[in-house]
Amino acid sequence: MADQIPLRPVRSAANRKRAAYYSAAGRGPGAERPSRSLLEDEYARLDEMPLMMSEEGCENDEGDYHTLPRARAARRGRRPERALCGGWQSLCASCCDWLINVCQRKRELRARTVWLGHPEKCEEKHPRNIIKNQKYNVFTFIPGVLYEQFKFFLNLYFLVVSCSQFVPALKIGYLYTYWAPLGFVLAVTITREAIDEFRRFQRDKEVNSQLYSKLTVRGKVQVKSSDIQVGDLIVVEKNQRIPSDMVFLRTSEKAGSCFIRTDQLDGETDWKLKVAVSCTQRLPALGDLFSISAYVHAQKPQLDIHSFEGTFTRDDSDPPVHESLSIENTLWASTVVASGTVIGVVIYTGKETRSVLNTSNPNNKVGLLDLELNQLTKALFLALVALSVVMVTLQGFVGPWYRNLFRFLLLFSYIIPISLRVNLDMGKAAYGWMVMRDENIPGTVVRTSTIPEELGRLVYLLTDKTGTLTRNEMVFKRLHLGTVSYGTDTMDEIQGHVRASCLQLPSPTGGNSTSSTPPRKAQPSAPKVRKSVSSRVHEAVKAIALCHNVTPVYESRAGVTAETEYAEADRDFTDENRTYQASSPDEVALVQWTESVGLTLVSRDLTSMQLRTPGGQVLTYSLLQTFPFTSESKRMGVVVRDESTAEITFYMKGADVAMSTIVQYNDWLEEECGNMAREGLRTLVVAKRVLTEEQYQDFESRYTQAKLSVHDRTLKVAAVVESLEREMQLLCVTGVEDRLQADVRPTLEMLRNAGIKIWMLTGDKLETATCIAKSSHLVSRTQDTHIFRPVSSRGEAHLELNAFRRKQDCALVLSGDSLEVCLRYYEHELMELACQCPAVVCCRCSPTQKARIVKLLQTHTHKRTCAIGDGGNDVSMIQAADCGIGIEGKEGKAASLAADFSITQFAHVGRLLMVHGRRSYKRSAALGQFVMHRGLLISTMQAVFSSVFYFASVPLYQGFLMVGYATVYTMFPVFSLVLDQDVKPEVAMLYPELYKDLTKGRSLSFKTFLVWVLISVYQGVPAAGLQTSSQARWVGIFLNR
């Protein structure tokens, strides 16, 4: 019912058609049709609350605010007399589009069938497996560097002036007068770019030349990474980088799984568990991979690194073996093997790998001050032309006046100083050195020395949450059972309950015992009896200890070789040598807590899990199914069988919004989750359901069939899993705290007082993001918060935006899905409303959405933005912002290496902006205007000299004097400005309100520039008068002789 909602009166028939379409699409199968009177009342209410959309916007198909001019132009009638012109324009546009498509044609990405060990069977040609981070090649280096330099008006102007000296009629001095400064600037730039390009070439060559073992019919052969093809079987050793995207076939690990490190791909330092294809893992020997006929059907290359759909088929057996492939069966390029040796078949190479597809080429960032100086340079050029025309006019246009005009342009060319960029670059290098030497912010690294003054012009600061505002250190804080709650000071009571319950457990029988007592098997249908507190606590702790994706890892003993390190006998299984690895620190925190209260996870593989009780008894569970956590489902679950009782239990945990409709009715879940959220805790709801053998067998058959589906596999699998998620028994609610970084609250307060608007962009859930926003004082506790309800259509977005417009001075919290819908239809309106908020929190944001928000702020506000993060998922946002700051944290160095500035903790942002940002901007503004003043001064003297001597186009000083004046003679004032200081650092930190004046750009504007022009004229005219009178006196003395 999106277009049923009239933003303004709808007049066209096309709108009526779209209204019917959206009405049919938006109405669910079981929904009742609203009455006509209700719809008319709804229309009336919405018409009273119009958004900022014009009639053309409603009649436009896309509903896009930015397409209104195009829509209006398309409806404008074509005049007959313009038909011919319009036809030629259309033909030329079509030809240009065709040429562009031919030159930039991209190969269509398709799904593929990859035969194991037979790259020659590939149906199409795939890209080479090379990594190329170079910006130029041998042929494009010089043109590319020169273009980057001469796209600025300043350098282009001096190139034209220098080239004019090759014309004898225009030559007014020696060639070195013009070419020496220009050549010096170009030489420094080309040398710097050549060094950077050579370093990139060396890094690429080192990666592309790494040797890997390739399996062939004749055995293993060594191949370079760049020679790997789709279909090759590659062996990757422990601590070795995976060269391309592969499907995991075999491993030396006994469990049939391995761990990989993905910090260089997604920025997360937690190890990821990968599972080998069971059909190939069961083969007796490695060489048997060539004795079978098997292939992998893989989806087309995609950006998403967290999903994969494919199938493995062995067609030489009867019947053929089919096995579904998911993300846990993949090994993406740029990850590192953390345990064992793995063998995989290559499915994507080169530009089609996930890591390359998610890599965006960083733009060459140009500071706002450089753009403002470029505009002032253009103004100086207009003044130069005007002054030259005045001189020729006063000369009376005698003789070849056009030649005199050009000579005057050359004489006054010092108005635009070529040394401006050299002095600014030297000053910026000095500012970067000062930042890195600041003892108050140790560990700070300046990686981009061209934009330090941007730190003093920021209006919007976009920050990540986990690892940036928080430490990414999870601590278990609360366990709530409905009638009783346990905190950090009562954990010993939980330990006592667990010990008491474990003492009542029967001793396990040897082997995989299937003997189970009838009462235990009939438990689902038995009458409900109120359990004791001890049994309830034990059930909750056991559920937390079983429902996770954590794997205990034991380090190898010293001196063990790589060939035998996967043997269990060579590992130390003591508690001191055990560490936990999982895809989320929340999971590890929960398992570590269960260990502290007496239930310890001692081992886990693909099929089983073992827990140790406080009495030393080992409980064994068969791991039947695992349903990983996804951002769509917001929950994860496991199906386990107790080996001692044969009882099958389905455990599940997830967000309260997802679990509230799954668990049995209760009256405390929503309230307690809200209480924990207000304390800044991350909540998880834990539930279980006991299954009979028949129920599980029926589910397993349907689940296996859904996983083998090629089309809509995700939806089919989710539908089958949801059949289990009914009437689950609520066990407990857990609360985990993500500790804030040091001094986050005062830093955010300082930035807010400085006039900087802070947006938090996170991939975490809405409740957790809201809690952290309040606990960090990003949103004050007395400030209203508007939580944007989930919207999925244009009509819902319209209603919610109108509801938000009635709020005043409140923080906005919205999810990534709602953001996507609003941007599709109401981009301009949403950005205008959001920019008026004191703070904005965007949760469930993907890396692409983070970068898009940054670009939208730049487009709609034309203000300077800064992005700060610590993970690989923040790289796109950091590179898109005008100023990117990376934090070296637990999620790796991906963000730090991609950023313009690298810091060690969020609290350093305050001094970086208040002190160094202020200094850099103030000094660069004064330095730029002083250098211009220096050129204006000498040009004023030249103008007075030419006027006295009948407007002759004769230089006042020789060329070498002018070069010395622009460099050596006036270097000390320039260097003194680099060390200038208007306020002390303590004052800048104590009064952050001083930062607001910097964002207005008053230190460098046309007003301040005119003041410097007047000073130049005031100083230049008397100096020229003295010089001219002195020269006239010496000429008179010479003539009198």
Side-chain angles (χ1 to χ4, degrees), residues 208-224:
N208 294 326
S209 300
Q210 288 183 354
L211 296 178
Y212 292 88
S213 296
K214 172 184 173 181
L215 287 181
T216 63
V217 180
R218 296 181 297 273
K220 295 182 180 180
V221 296
Q222 295 291 318
V223 294
K224 293 182 179 180

Side-chain angles (χ1 to χ4, degrees), residues 240-251:
Q240 194 173 17
R241 185 187 69 90
I242 297 175
S244 57
D245 290 353
M246 303 191 299
V247 169
F248 189 12
L249 298 180
R250 286 179 64 88
T251 177

